[in-house]
Amino acid sequence: MKICRFNGNRLGVLVGDGVLDVTPALAAIPLQHWPLAQGDPLILHFDTVLERVRELLPEAPRLALDRLALDSPVANPGKIVNAPINYRAHIDETSQDAAIAHGRDMTRSIWDWGLFLKASSALIGPSEQIRLRFPDRRNDHEVELAVVIGRRCHQVSREEALNYVAGYAIGLDITIRGPELQSFRKSPDTYAVCGPWLATRDEIPDPGVLDLRLWVNNELRQSANTRQLIYDVPRLIEYASSFYTLHPGDLIFTGTPEGVGPLLPGDRVDAEIAQIGRFSIQVADRYV
C-alpha cells in the first residue's frame, strides 16, 4: 500500500493515477497528553490506522492525483538520520571535486565519518518549494532512498533490522557546500524533501535492489541502484540504533550516489525510485 498525506494533513491511498481519500482513518490515532510519546503519531499507531484504512477503501472517494498538494508522508519525525558518502562512485567524485571536498580527505567512507543528523524543521513535501540560500555558495541536490522507522528500536541486529521499518519514500537532501559541519549546512528550512508517499514495507521486500534517478530541468544528473550502497539498509539501521534509539517516524536518508550538482533558482527537480514512485519539486525563483 502507498500512503500519502495531502492538502494539509488529509490521508490517502494511491490507486493507479488517483488517490482514495481515507482521512477518517486518522481518528484511530488516540488523543495524546503531555508528555507526548516520542515518535510521529501516525507511525506510532500505523497498524491501527491501516486497519481502519482497509475498512474505508471500498467507499472512499477518489481524487485526481495531479490536483493534490502532496505533503511529506511523515509529518513529525523526531530526527532525520543521514548517511554520508555511502556510494563508492560518490566518494570518487567528491575526492576529485574541490567544491565538494573543501579540503577534507574524502577518500574515507561511512565507517570513518559515521552518521549525522539533519534538523527535522528542514522537512517539506514535494508540493512545496525548495528555497535556496546564499547565492555565493553552491547548493547541491542529492537523491536518496528514505527509510521510515516503524517501531522503537535500539541496538537491533542487521538480521532483524527490516522488521523495524514502516516503509520507504524518496528523499532529497539539499546541501550547502562549505567548510562547516554537515548537520549545519544541510539543515536550512526546505533542505530535506520527502515524498511522494510512503510505500509500506510489504511493497518493497528488498530495498537493496532499487533503481534511483534524478533530473534537473529534464537533464539526467543521477542514476544508480541501491545495491551499490556501502552500508545497505539493514546495516544502516543496525549502525544507527547502536548509537541512539530510533523512534516511529524517524527517517534515515541512506546516502546519495554520484552525479550531485548545483541547483539554481527556478530549477525543477524530478526524483524517482523504482517500486516507490516519482515526484517533481520546484526550486523557488529567488534566493532567500
Side-chain angles (χ1 to χ4, degrees):
M1 194 177 296
K2 293 182 171 69
I3 304 291
C4 66
R5 293 178 55 253
F6 66 95
N7 292 11
N9 204 36
R10 298 196 67 80
L11 193 70
V13 175
L14 183 73
V15 178
D17 59 354
V19 168
L20 299 181
D21 189 340
V22 291
T23 302
L26 293 175
I29 300 174
L31 181 66
Q32 296 190 61
H33 300 282
W34 185 89
L36 302 178
Q38 292 196 58
D40 177 85
L42 172 61
I43 308 302
L44 267 169
H45 304 282
F46 203 44
D47 291 342
T48 304
V49 172
L50 289 184
E51 287 181 14
R52 183 66 181 129
V53 165
R54 295 184 185 97
E55 295 171 359
L56 292 167
L57 281 176
E59 304 296 328
R62 185 183 180 91
L63 308 173
L65 177 61
D66 60 4
R67 297 189 176 185
L68 304 181
L70 293 174
D71 305 315
S72 168
V74 180
N76 299 113
K79 50 188 169 290
I80 304 173
V81 182
N82 288 67
I85 47 180
N86 199 21
Y87 286 81
R88 175 58 59 186
H90 181 46
I91 294 174
D92 294 340
E93 74 170 349
T94 300
S95 301
Q96 298 164 16
D97 189 339
I100 300 176
H102 276 275
R104 302 179 185 90
D105 178 7
M106 303 306 293
T107 60
R108 299 182 296 164
S109 186
I110 185 171
W111 51 75
D112 298 303
W113 290 99
L115 305 175
F116 65 93
L117 300 180
K118 192 176 176 93
S120 58
S121 56
L123 184 66
I124 60 170
S127 65
E128 299 182 63
Q129 291 188 335
I130 299 166
R131 300 191 302 275
L132 299 178
R133 299 178 182 231
F134 306 113
D136 57 328
R137 297 176 68 169
R138 180 169 147 180
N139 290 259
D140 280 11
H141 57 76
E142 301 185 358
V143 66
E144 315 194 10
L145 174 66
V147 180
V148 182
I149 296 298
R151 57 192 179 101
R152 182 184 183 277
C153 62
H154 180 63
Q155 294 185 334
V156 301
S157 69
R158 182 174 181 172
E159 292 72 25
E160 292 293 322
L162 293 184
N163 295 329
Y164 291 82
V165 172
Y168 304 91
I170 302 170
L172 182 54
D173 176 21
I174 309 302
T175 301
I176 299 170
R177 298 301 178 194
E180 301 90 352
L181 295 175
Q182 291 153 311
S183 293
F184 185 67
R185 292 184 288 105
K186 291 172 174 279
S187 287
D189 295 351
T190 77
Y191 275 47
V193 187
C194 188
W197 37 71
L198 182 156
T200 53
R201 187 178 69 199
D202 58 294
E203 293 258 331
I204 302 175
D206 185 358
V209 293
L210 305 178
D211 290 326
L212 62 166
R213 297 183 179 87
L214 179 139
W215 296 259
V216 177
N217 302 328
N218 295 319
E219 174 195 357
L220 181 63
R221 295 270 189 92
Q222 294 184 269
S223 180
N225 188 285
T226 54
R227 69 171 59 92
Q228 298 162 334
L229 284 166
I230 297 172
Y231 277 22
D232 62 12
V233 171
R235 191 172 184 187
L236 282 172
I237 295 172
E238 178 186 57
Y239 188 33
S241 72
S242 72
F243 279 83
Y244 32 68
T245 300
L246 300 174
H247 293 281
D250 283 356
L251 298 173
I252 299 179
F253 279 28
T254 57
T256 196
E258 71 277 15
V260 303
L263 291 175
L264 297 172
D267 282 346
R268 191 193 76 200
V269 180
D270 293 273
E272 177 182 81
I273 298 182
Q275 301 181 46
I276 296 176
R278 177 171 176 152
F279 68 67
S280 296
I281 187 166
Q282 192 70 30
V283 180
D285 62 6
R286 65 188 67 185
Y287 290 97
V288 297

